Amino acid sequence: MTIPEPPLSRQASAYALGSQYGRAYLETLSDRSVLAEKSDLDALNLALPDQGVSAETILELMNRVGSPGTMASAAGRYFGYVIGGSLPAASGARTLLSAWDQTANSDTGPSVIKLEEIAIRWAIDLLDLPTESTGAFTTGATMANMTLLMTARDRQLDRLGHPRGKGLIGAPALRVIASAEIHATVLKSLRMIGLGSDAIEFVPVDDQGRMRADQMPDLDPSCLVLAQAGNVCTGSFDPFDALADQCQAAGAWLHVDGAFGLWARASSQLAPALAGLERADSWVVDAHKTLNAPYDSGLALCRHPDELRASMAIGAGYLPKTDPTPSDLAPEFSRAARGAETWAALLSLGRQGLDDMVTRFHHQAASLVPRLEALGFNVPHQVHFNQVFVTRPGEDALCAKVVKHVQQSGEAWFGAATWQGQNGFRISLSNWATQDQDLDRLNGALETALGDLA
């Protein structure tokens, strides 16, 4: 008589096999093409069988077809969309978390909730934000922006005599004032909370993409002012001190979208450029970009904990009375314990390690400029952080061809971009694994493209 394998033993075996495939994937990632292989993806499109397939067969298929079908974004030669890699400790933490399978809610995962609380406290300290601030983990900047803008909306309406419980029906009009180059995810967040994006009062920016504080409209208590730390093309930072002066005088809410750029505050070299950031009311930052935690991990940080909780909290008779549970500070009720990966990332780096990594991204970005200029390209901005917007004056078509050539070569990857009427491409330096040889290969890929396209 055959004794069936216990269910959890089968799970452990599948877990080990998945880890084995994952290790092999990472060990070969630096040597493979950055571009995803799409030709075999139809092999995944199976008819759903009547009888289930073994975990071993499923994982073998995923590894054989799915692994080559991924973009090598974790490799050091990927420079697109400000996508970071995953630090070893953070990647290992995700593996362990998948075995734990905890939800960060109420008393269903005490250890992971504690890890998240510590990670948030560390982030607030590292970013030198007010000690009374609190925060919550979300899937990314879009949901973090939505969380904080909803809180801002509710607080400002309440001050105008329209309490939270009434919703938006019959509410006084709010004014949204934003940088002319505010990120698209902020605009999406505004639509999701019912404020729309058609009536925004956009403030002009300078030739670096920074909000012009001297061009701000008159503010009042109905205003939400949206600034950013890290222009998506140039990496520049808005003038937070000047904006905070105007917001505080008028009773307006100042919100900062810093999905990748807020971490510049953790660099002793770059922090002065973000002076006054601590005077805002709320901040967004992603852990899965500059910090190099795994996707998906955003942080919504707020200097007004009671306001955040008043907008986000829920209650039910079957829920334990914890104070507060993560679901009281963010939209999601059931979600993975993603904050534990940020805890692991920060602990693995330490204060100095984070400073060094963030500063290195800046130095790598700056080091590209003379190499790009030697190839005939132009960088029409200062290198403020880790973004490099590149043009070829009068040769937009050539720029587009260079992007396609480099992508298809598999040597490196970056994407086309448009900024202030100029067409070109954007190179983002945000991966802990990027080394000097990766930048050499990027430069070589650009040289080859220009030679082949001549």
Side-chain angles (χ1 to χ4, degrees):
M1 172 178 167
T2 302
I3 299 175
E5 188 179 12
L8 291 181
S9 178
R10 297 202 307 272
Q11 182 178 358
S13 297
Y15 180 84
L17 183 58
S19 297
Q20 177 184 326
Y21 286 141
R23 177 171 183 166
Y25 175 81
L26 291 172
E27 287 177 341
T28 61
L29 196 59
S30 294
D31 299 322
R32 57 157 276 192
S33 168
V34 178
L35 196 65
E37 174 56 60
K38 301 178 183 179
S39 60
D40 296 330
L41 296 185
D42 283 345
L44 301 173
N45 190 21
L46 306 172
L48 187 64
D50 292 331
Q51 303 299 320
V53 177
S54 71
E56 291 76 13
T57 300
I58 292 168
L59 291 170
E60 188 280 331
L61 176 61
M62 287 182 65
N63 181 59
R64 176 168 45 84
V65 179
S67 290
T70 62
M71 187 74 74
S73 57
R77 292 173 288 124
Y78 185 86
F79 306 99
Y81 302 119
V82 208
I83 292 177
S86 182
L87 288 161
S91 185
R94 166 159 289 190
T95 305
L96 184 55
L97 283 166
S98 69
W100 290 355
D101 193 27
Q102 301 286 286
T103 178
N105 180 45
S106 303
D107 63 351
T108 56
S111 63
V112 295
I113 290 176
K114 177 58 69 174
L115 291 171
E116 291 201 353
E117 291 172 350
I118 296 167
I120 290 167
R121 189 176 75 242
W122 283 349
I124 290 169
D125 176 46
L126 288 162
L127 298 171
D128 197 20
L129 302 180
T131 56
E132 68 269 22
S133 303
T134 191
F137 283 94
T138 67
T139 53
T142 302
M143 290 303 295
N145 275 310
M146 191 190 83
T147 299
L148 295 168
L149 293 176
M150 185 181 296
T151 302
R153 177 200 69 185
D154 293 347
R155 203 282 293 266
Q156 297 306 93
L157 286 177
D158 186 67
R159 288 189 168 188
L160 295 173
H162 190 86
R164 281 178 172 81
K166 288 189 174 182
L168 293 180
I169 298 174
L174 293 178
R175 295 170 57 205
V176 177
I177 292 90
S179 163
E181 296 187 2
I182 199 72
H183 196 268
T185 57
V186 183
L187 304 181
K188 182 176 183 178
S189 300
L190 287 168
R191 294 196 297 270
M192 289 193 294
I193 66 168
L195 293 184
S197 56
D198 291 344
I200 296 174
E201 299 173 48
F202 286 109
V203 179
V205 297
D206 65 14
D207 62 358
Q208 302 297 310
R210 296 173 296 212
M211 203 170 176
R212 290 277 304 274
D214 61 335
Q215 296 290 312
M216 287 282 287
D218 291 335
L219 304 179
D220 58 57
S222 71
C223 294
L224 278 61
V225 176
L226 313 182
Q228 62 181 348
N231 181 287
V232 73
C233 279
T234 70
S236 64
F237 309 106
D238 286 341
F240 303 115
D241 257 331
L243 296 174
D245 285 343
Q246 297 178 57
C247 289
Q248 289 177 2
W253 182 290
L254 177 58
H255 172 72
V256 178
D257 174 40
F260 70 87
L262 209 69
W263 289 112
R265 180 90 160 178
S267 163
S268 53
Q269 178 179 322
L270 299 172
L274 288 83
L277 178 81
E278 72 283 354
R279 299 174 61 193
D281 295 286
S282 55
W283 310 264
V284 163
V285 67
D286 280 329
H288 56 230
K289 288 188 171 69
T290 309
L291 181 60
N292 281 245
Y295 270 86
D296 45 53
S297 186
L299 268 170
L301 302 172
C302 185
R303 73 152 63 233
H304 310 288
D306 292 342
E307 300 287 354
L308 179 61
R309 187 172 188 184
S311 290
M312 293 293 127
I314 61 170
Y318 65 89
L319 295 177
K321 307 301 181 185
T322 56
D323 187 27
T325 184
S327 61
D328 287 337
L329 300 174
E332 299 136 315
F333 183 60
S334 298
R335 64 164 174 82
R338 61 178 65 91
E341 297 156 355
T342 296
W343 175 87
L346 290 172
L347 187 60
S348 72
L349 291 169
R351 191 178 300 273
Q352 188 59 54
L354 178 60
D355 186 331
D356 291 344
M357 183 177 73
V358 173
T359 303
R360 183 172 73 251
F361 295 152
H362 175 62
H363 289 169
Q364 288 175 334
S367 75
L368 285 179
V369 175
R371 303 179 76 169
L372 289 163
E373 291 175 343
L375 294 174
F377 293 107
N378 180 50
V379 177
H381 63 87
Q382 302 167 31
V383 179
H384 300 274
F385 184 26
N386 62 345
Q387 304 302 298
V388 183
F389 176 73
V390 187
T391 66
R392 186 100 170 180
E395 297 183 90
D396 290 358
L398 178 60
C399 272
K401 290 177 182 178
V402 166
V403 170
K404 186 176 181 180
H405 190 289
V406 173
Q407 289 178 353
Q408 291 182 340
S409 75
E411 272 293 279
W413 201 100
F414 51 80
T418 300
W419 178 67
Q420 295 195 355
Q422 304 170 84
N423 296 314
F425 53 88
R426 181 183 61 145
I427 297 173
S428 300
L429 283 301
S430 52
N431 193 323
W432 72 278
T434 298
Q435 304 296 314
D436 289 345
Q437 57 265 34
D438 297 309
L439 300 182
D440 291 341
R441 291 177 70 174
L442 168 63
N443 193 73
L446 287 166
E447 278 191 287
T448 300
L450 290 173
D452 290 350
L453 295 169

